[in-house]
Amino acid sequence: MNIWTSQMQTNPLYDWQVNRDEIRMVGRDLLRPECILAEPDGILWTADARGGVMRIASDGTQTLVAQQTVNPSSPGSHDARQLMMGGTLPNGIAFDRDGNFVIANFGTDAIELMTRDGASRTLYDSINGAPLGKTNFVLTDSKGRIWFTVTTRQVPWTRCINEKTPDGYVGLIDDKGIRIVADGFVGTNEIRLDANEEWLYVVETNARRISRLRVQDDGSLVDREIYGPHDLGGFPDGFAFDAYGNLWITLILYEKLIALTPEGEVLTLLDDGNPEAISRYEEHYRAGTTTPELMGACRGMLAPMMASITFGGPDLRTVYLGSLAGTKLASFRSPVAGLPLAHWNAA
């Protein structure tokens, strides 16, 4: 793996954990802020289940930018089944080169594009003549290409959790159109590129692992391998690299934040889990009988149903945690900066 910082330096995450007393909450009345984008000037954008994104200014002022072409479900429901199953659910969000939002909509099963004033259109809702499946995450690179994930093509999608179906895939949208570049993943979730965009890292939530593939110039992916432990001890959801090369990973339901070091060590940075609820869920997971209600019972207090992780602030050392059931963002300072978004590096 490419290392960003000299290995002569001590890993800044050794002997460090998040101080719960220093966690600050950002935002208010958010609805399913699963994914977060942070701009250099301090503005935050979160995915919002009302159909669009919430803009949070540095002074705390909030503005909902709603998709004008999507009919949202009721914004008042916070129950587990609605948060996991219902309506339009903007999930993964990314900036394109013009600063618009590319949206993986977990509710409409489409990749969508929305301007900053809310004008929205569907980019793709099918591939090779078939529905895309349960679109989860989007990522843009320095070449302006859009990478996206589909968790499963099962209907309802929750079947893939109990059946551990290897039908998730990674897709690519470029000047040639849309295509699948890798498949056979078990619950495809977030994806990230390393600093030099040489490897694409893939969360396989239902397999409890991270995989990676080498990126070719034409966008094809080769040399697939498991990165780190074959079982992370929980269900990875969101992740992000820091400037040292540590991969910060959220474990949804376990409500943990861990870091996978370049040497393959797993460090626990924050634990907000409910041991009894996790134990019950694990029993049903092994038996293939999980339900959204069992998932909802696992939610922690800080970032309920902890999902994504984003580095922000002018020095990229402020960490924000997204969640499926939170109404605010948990935030704290990191001892090491995160990697900047490819969007800010693009010409």
Side-chain angles (χ1 to χ4, degrees):
M1 174 181 172
N2 176 52
I3 303 302
W4 293 266
T5 306
S6 170
Q7 290 296 294
M8 298 298 292
Q9 299 183 23
T10 301
N11 192 322
L13 296 188
Y14 286 143
D15 301 319
W16 180 85
Q17 290 185 327
V18 178
N19 184 338
R20 297 175 72 98
D21 292 337
E22 296 178 359
I23 294 175
R24 299 291 179 263
M25 306 308 292
V26 178
R28 65 185 186 284
D29 302 323
L30 306 177
L31 189 56
R32 202 178 183 274
E34 201 280 352
C35 189
I36 307 161
L37 297 178
E39 298 202 63
D41 60 4
I43 295 174
L44 300 175
W45 303 87
T46 69
D48 194 282
R50 284 161 284 215
V53 296
M54 183 68 79
R55 180 185 187 273
I56 306 175
S58 55
D59 64 1
T61 303
Q62 294 187 185
T63 305
L64 178 65
V65 181
Q67 293 174 285
Q68 295 175 10
T69 61
V70 175
N71 296 319
S73 57
S74 170
S77 178
H78 287 70
D79 66 87
R81 184 166 294 275
Q82 173 68 23
L83 291 167
M84 300 298 292
M85 302 289 289
T88 176
L89 292 176
N91 204 68
I93 55 176
F95 291 121
D96 71 3
R97 281 189 159 183
D98 297 320
N100 300 314
F101 298 96
V102 184
I103 298 173
N105 197 311
F106 203 74
T108 62
D109 296 350
I111 304 299
E112 300 161 349
L113 184 69
M114 186 181 77
T115 64
R116 296 199 177 203
D117 60 5
S120 181
R121 62 186 176 93
T122 297
L123 293 180
Y124 292 96
D125 58 9
S126 65
I127 191 167
N128 299 328
L132 282 180
K134 192 54 63 177
T135 51
N136 188 301
F137 194 72
V138 283
L139 176 72
T140 53
D141 66 17
S142 61
K143 296 180 179 179
R145 300 179 297 193
I146 299 171
W147 303 82
F148 68 93
T149 65
V150 167
T151 298
T152 180
R153 286 169 272 201
Q154 295 267 51
V155 179
W157 75 269
T158 46
R159 286 177 54 195
C160 77
I161 300 174
N162 290 325
E163 298 174 19
K164 302 166 184 63
T165 316
D167 72 335
Y169 65 87
V170 175
L172 180 64
I173 301 171
D174 59 12
D175 55 6
K176 298 177 183 178
I178 185 172
R179 62 189 182 277
I180 295 173
V181 288
D183 59 11
F185 297 102
V186 187
T188 333
N189 207 309
E190 289 198 12
I191 47 176
R192 297 287 180 187
L193 291 160
D194 66 9
N196 294 327
E197 300 188 351
E198 296 174 340
W199 291 88
L200 182 76
Y201 293 75
V202 183
V203 167
E204 294 187 74
T205 298
N206 297 334
R208 298 161 58 118
R209 69 190 178 208
I210 307 295
S211 292
R212 72 173 184 174
L213 305 96
R214 193 183 301 275
V215 181
Q216 304 297 286
D217 289 341
D218 64 356
S220 59
L221 300 173
V222 299
D223 300 335
R224 178 175 171 177
E225 64 185 21
I226 295 173
Y227 182 75
H230 284 234
D231 188 334
L232 287 167
F235 304 95
D237 190 302
F239 63 164
F241 278 109
D242 66 25
Y244 187 89
N246 299 301
L247 190 56
W248 296 49
I249 307 166
T250 62
L251 300 182
I252 194 169
L253 307 183
Y254 273 68
E255 307 297 72
K256 279 187 179 182
L257 176 63
I258 63 173
L260 179 58
T261 73
E263 296 76 30
E265 297 177 76
V266 175
L267 310 175
T268 298
L269 306 181
L270 177 66
D271 187 347
D272 192 38
N274 179 334
E276 292 183 4
I278 292 169
S279 179
R280 286 194 300 272
Y281 183 83
E282 280 281 1
E283 291 179 9
H284 285 272
Y285 177 75
R286 290 191 294 269
T289 56
T290 66
T291 66
E293 288 74 19
L294 286 167
M295 297 178 192
C298 293
R299 68 182 72 182
M301 298 295 293
L302 296 172
M305 301 184 76
M306 191 184 299
S308 64
I309 177 170
T310 297
F311 288 89
D315 59 0
L316 289 174
R317 288 182 54 191
T318 302
V319 175
Y320 300 94
L321 296 177
S323 68
L324 300 187
T327 58
K328 298 179 180 181
L329 306 177
S331 174
F332 55 87
R333 294 286 288 170
S334 163
V336 61
L339 287 185
L341 292 172
H343 170 75
W344 303 122
N345 294 334

